[in-house]
Amino acid sequence: MPSDKTLFAMDINTLLAVEQLAKETGKSPEAVLLDFMESNTAKMAYDDATKLWWDGPASTAECYKEEVEK
């Protein structure tokens, strides 16, 4: 189980990625968040073993966009 600080970093990363995706798509952040949290990218973002959150929100957003395009 990740530490509280790691979970906080994962939350911030996700929040910033969702904000970026909302701006790019013109959708509300709430709608993007709901879609994002059901994705495999969200699972990876909260899995400390993948370290996706280390790469930052732009990388997380790109990963999500690639998943959605498939």
Side-chain angles (χ1 to χ4, degrees):
M1 177 87 185
S3 71
D4 288 345
K5 290 179 182 179
T6 300
L7 286 173
F8 181 72
M10 291 171 175
D11 286 342
I12 294 297
N13 180 64
T14 297
L15 173 67
L16 294 173
V18 165
E19 286 182 355
Q20 176 182 333
L21 291 164
K23 286 179 185 176
E24 290 176 5
T25 62
K27 295 180 181 177
S28 72
E30 294 84 3
V32 175
L33 179 61
L34 289 173
D35 290 341
F36 181 87
M37 292 308 292
E38 293 179 0
S39 70
N40 287 329
T41 303
K43 291 175 188 168
M44 291 179 6
Y46 282 93
D47 181 355
D48 195 32
T50 67
K51 303 293 187 205
L52 178 61
W53 62 275
W54 281 30
D55 294 333
S59 180
T60 302
E62 286 301 316
C63 184
Y64 176 75
K65 288 189 284 189
E66 288 174 10
E67 177 183 346
V68 171
E69 289 176 358
K70 291 182 179 179

